[in-house]
Amino acid sequence: MNYGFIKIAAAVPKTKISNCEYNSDIIIKLIIEAENKKCQIIVFPELSVTSYTSADLFHQDLLIESGLKYLNIILEKTKRLKIVSILGLPIRFKNSLYNCGVIICRGKILGIVPKTHIPCYKEFYEDRWFNEGKHVKGEYIDVFGEKIPFGVDLLFRDKNNLNLCFSVEICEDLWMPIPPSSVHAINGALITFNLSASNEIIGKYEYRRNLVKQQSARCLSSYVYTSSGVYESTTDIVFSGHALICENGSIISESKRYDRDDQIVIGEIDIERLINERNKMTTFSGLENEEFRYTEFDINRIDFKELNRFIDPHPFVPNDDFMRNKRCEEIFNIQTAGLAKRVEHTKINKAVIGISGGLDSTLALLVTIRVFDLLNISRENIIAITMPGFGTTDITYTNAVSLIKEIGATLKIIDIKKACSIHFEDIEHNTEIHDVTYENVQARERTQLLMDIANKVNGMVIGTGDLSELALGWCTYNGDHMSMYSVNTSIPKTLVLYLVKWVASNVFDNKTSEILLSVINTPISPELLPPMENGEIRQKTEETIGPYELHDFFLYYFLRFGSKPKKIVFLAKNAFGERYDLREIRKWLKVFLKRFFSQQFKRSCLPDGPKVGSVSLSPRGDWRMPSDVEGDLWIKELEEDEL
């Protein structure tokens, strides 16, 4: 199983200037090393066989002939290897010299791509030696008695998987307003390999790094970049040996710069993920195409048991403290802006919100407070209602009441036990039977109170449910499922916690922060079942439906990238390591899939609420699915993985 991944290497070899014998030996060594590490494609820097800084020696026939001689030796020495290699070499064609990428596999040349744009400014004067390749299309060149495709119109694809397609561009090509790789991507290239010789000056490293990241994001592709190292000539400039493997705007792997040893940077690229992104972005294929020739290769097949790339167990929550705080600030501002617009539009200056003492309702209250402060509406116009029921514990009740009082909202306490008991009598339900009816009666009673009080005071009911609950259908239909504006609707549970923590640290004073930290440390529960004899919460959500960190991980890969269940299991195992074994991961993924497919009817009639991230379940925006869809296809694939 490759789970849609391909293993890529970017090499930075030690070179000697114009010493093709030495350079080819190093290249062969690194190709063999990459093959032994089960890499499937490896790319070398610009003009790596001759070295980039040979200067006017490129006018010497002996150097050009030596480059070809040792290319032939590289082919011979690697003919039993299955890896695809991309080398840099000067190639003479029709009495002109071109700076080329030569693509080889199993002792054969697949094609030769000349550099499209030749720089001639500041420290660069390549047009002294090389011709631009931008007009070279549809050509063939004789190399070692073989007719080889030659031109900038070449794309390379796996004959057993035509979706696996890559292109080659060289150094300056990336720095142009419209890089060739942009056109390559439109025509099917999922990976671009850039053979480069980019020297170092102050600030260039950061710019180049961002350029590679941005191009991979713009093209919804992987971009693999490698540049000449410190052994190039230092007559006027210095090279650092910078190699990068990027995927859709993220750096998967990166070399050390100024290293004096050979380097191989390895990264696994998720081809399926890139294809899914392009399938969703229909404008991607709506651009004018050019004619390309496709050269096919037979890529080495490998099984992926584990990944070297980092798989974040919490994809909705940035690891870095600074980035996480920035993300929380941005989300809180989006929530605030969304609710503020709705309040202004309706001209309603009162909000009604149910406060349970849990994370979701706390976050919704904090957003509402910020909106009312922003619009210069008294906090007393926020009717914050806590409604203790059969499962309410002292800790959540105390948190709810303390928070409402501390922030200055209007507190109402309405005990729902009496009303629910009467309702149980009306529907002839035994109160000793703690089933879904017992639970949902309480949830709907609370929602009825909120709606009716909102009518009474001409207010708006603020929804508190989050994205994770909607994905799992962990809400009562026409109970906590319903509101007049739902501020948490696209925020996953793992992120709600950090948002509340961010607000505690950055928005409110110490007393309020203490209460918020108490809320954070309270187990997640709907509190619809009676507490334990010692007063502690009996009904802990994650013991019933599974850990939210797993469900949020499943949701991210299932919805964001359309990943198959087998792949989600593989990724989860790599992300969480020993925290969950395969049995647990499969168990909770089955729960996720069954609930996700069976609970669409709740998502089909969601109230309005702001989208804050790339994953949303709004039936008007990101997710449209029939409520009566069959999910057997996904369940069966997961069950096959268990065998």
Side-chain angles (χ1 to χ4, degrees), residues 359 362-363 366 495-504 516 520:
L359 280 170
T362 296
L363 178 58
L366 297 174
L495 189 53
V496 170
L497 182 147
Y498 285 98
L499 275 163
V500 173
K501 187 179 291 187
W502 177 83
V503 173
L516 295 178
I520 289 169

Side-chain angles (χ1 to χ4, degrees), residues 351-355 361 364-365 368 382-385 450 460-464:
V352 177
I353 183 168
I355 305 299
S361 63
L365 178 60
T368 308
I382 301 172
I383 316 300
I385 307 171
L450 295 173
M460 179 189 304
V461 176
I462 308 301
T464 61

Side-chain angles (χ1 to χ4, degrees), residues 3-17:
Y3 302 100
F5 286 95
I6 180 172
K7 197 168 186 179
I8 302 296
V12 181
K14 293 172 63 175
T15 56
K16 290 186 177 180
I17 302 163

Side-chain angles (χ1 to χ4, degrees), residues 134-363:
K134 60 185 176 183
H135 300 301
V136 182
K137 299 178 181 179
E139 298 282 3
Y140 290 85
I141 184 173
D142 185 278
V143 183
F144 312 133
E146 297 284 339
K147 189 179 180 183
I148 306 298
F150 182 79
V152 294
D153 57 342
L154 293 179
L155 296 178
F156 302 84
R157 64 187 182 189
D158 180 8
K159 66 181 182 182
N160 296 308
N161 177 12
L162 299 184
N163 286 321
L164 175 49
C165 178
F166 72 80
S167 67
V168 171
E169 65 183 11
I170 302 176
C171 201
E172 183 74 9
D173 295 344
L174 171 63
W175 300 70
M176 301 304 293
I178 303 177
S181 52
S182 296
V183 183
H184 298 158
I186 294 167
N187 286 275
L190 283 170
I191 309 172
T192 294
F193 292 93
N194 187 306
L195 305 82
S196 186
S198 182
N199 64 304
E200 294 298 345
I201 56 175
I202 295 171
K204 190 173 183 180
Y205 158 71
E206 291 86 358
Y207 185 90
R208 181 174 57 231
R209 197 170 186 265
N210 289 331
L211 192 64
V212 172
K213 287 171 61 178
Q214 185 184 66
Q215 185 65 3
S216 74
R218 186 191 307 278
C219 294
L220 298 177
S221 70
S222 170
Y223 201 100
V224 184
Y225 175 97
T226 186
S227 183
S228 302
V230 295
Y231 289 96
E232 289 285 355
S233 172
T234 58
T235 300
D236 289 303
I237 53 179
V238 169
F239 299 85
S240 70
H242 192 193
L244 286 162
I245 300 177
C246 289
E247 178 184 293
N248 196 15
S250 298
I251 294 176
I252 302 300
S253 190
E254 185 172 9
S255 69
K256 297 177 183 177
R257 291 187 304 143
Y258 303 107
D259 198 291
R260 305 197 69 79
D261 292 320
D262 297 315
Q263 286 194 78
I264 293 182
V265 174
I266 296 173
E268 296 104 343
I269 302 302
D270 192 341
I271 298 297
E272 285 183 353
R273 179 171 173 170
L274 295 172
I275 293 171
N276 185 267
E277 288 286 277
R278 290 187 179 184
N279 286 343
K280 289 176 182 176
M281 188 173 289
T282 54
T283 52
F284 194 85
S285 60
L287 300 173
E288 184 177 349
N289 290 353
E290 292 190 9
E291 290 296 322
F292 277 87
R293 293 177 289 164
Y294 293 89
T295 299
E296 294 187 348
F297 57 90
D298 185 7
I299 200 168
N300 185 20
R301 311 289 150 186
I302 62 172
D303 285 332
F304 283 82
K305 303 297 183 184
E306 58 183 21
L307 296 174
N308 291 312
R309 66 184 275 170
F310 175 67
I311 304 295
D312 195 337
H314 304 117
F316 292 107
V317 183
N319 279 311
D320 178 74
D321 288 343
F322 175 79
M323 288 303 300
R324 185 167 58 243
N325 287 333
K326 293 291 289 183
R327 177 78 55 86
C328 288
E329 180 181 14
E330 182 70 9
I331 291 171
F332 198 66
N333 286 337
I334 291 172
Q335 290 178 283
T336 300
L339 180 57
K341 167 64 178 176
R342 187 55 55 96
V343 170
E344 287 182 315
H345 172 73
T346 58
K347 297 181 173 56
I348 290 175
N349 66 354
K350 290 188 177 177
V352 177
I353 183 168
I355 305 299
S356 67
L359 280 170
D360 292 340
S361 63
T362 296
L363 178 58

Side-chain angles (χ1 to χ4, degrees), residues 403-544:
L403 181 61
I404 295 166
K405 287 181 176 178
E406 183 63 29
I407 52 90
T410 297
L411 169 65
K412 284 189 178 295
I413 303 172
I414 303 176
D415 193 309
I416 65 168
K417 292 191 285 292
K418 180 179 177 181
C420 289
S421 296
I422 294 172
H423 190 64
F424 288 142
E425 291 180 18
D426 291 340
I427 65 172
E428 299 178 343
H429 183 78
N430 186 340
T431 57
E432 297 303 313
I433 300 175
H434 298 161
D435 59 3
V436 68
T437 303
Y438 180 87
E439 295 185 25
N440 286 350
V441 161
Q442 297 173 71
R444 292 195 179 100
E445 175 61 24
R446 286 177 171 133
T447 300
Q448 176 179 253
L449 284 168
L450 295 173
M451 292 288 183
D452 291 346
I453 291 172
N455 291 158
K456 182 179 178 181
V457 302
N458 190 30
M460 179 189 304
V461 176
I462 308 301
T464 61
D466 64 47
L467 179 67
S468 306
E469 293 177 343
L470 291 172
L472 293 162
W474 193 250
C475 52
T476 299
Y477 191 83
N478 206 34
D480 54 316
H481 156 262
M482 193 49 59
S483 66
M484 295 171 184
Y485 195 77
S486 186
V487 294
N488 297 338
T489 190
S490 64
I491 302 175
K493 186 75 76 177
T494 49
L495 189 53
V496 170
L497 182 147
Y498 285 98
L499 275 163
V500 173
K501 187 179 291 187
W502 177 83
V503 173
S505 301
N506 295 277
V507 179
F508 291 101
D509 58 28
N510 291 337
K511 183 65 184 296
T512 304
S513 296
E514 288 177 13
I515 301 170
L516 295 178
L517 292 176
S518 177
V519 171
I520 289 169
N521 293 322
T522 302
I524 298 168
S525 171
E527 290 196 314
L528 297 172
L529 298 180
M532 300 172 69
E533 292 181 1
N534 61 4
E536 292 184 1
I537 294 171
R538 178 186 299 276
Q539 188 182 20
K540 296 178 181 178
T541 299
E542 293 181 291
E543 292 178 359
T544 304

Side-chain angles (χ1 to χ4, degrees), residues 573-606:
K573 183 57 183 161
N574 277 271
F576 290 98
E578 300 304 317
R579 281 163 60 188
Y580 302 101
D581 60 30
L582 283 173
R583 182 192 60 81
E584 289 178 288
I585 292 170
R586 291 190 183 108
K587 170 188 172 181
W588 294 123
L589 179 54
K590 185 177 289 188
V591 169
F592 172 85
L593 291 170
K594 286 183 174 180
R595 294 194 65 92
F596 185 87
F597 281 102
S598 67
Q599 301 294 299
Q600 175 63 24
F601 71 99
K602 295 178 182 177
R603 300 187 289 266
S604 293
C605 56
L606 286 179

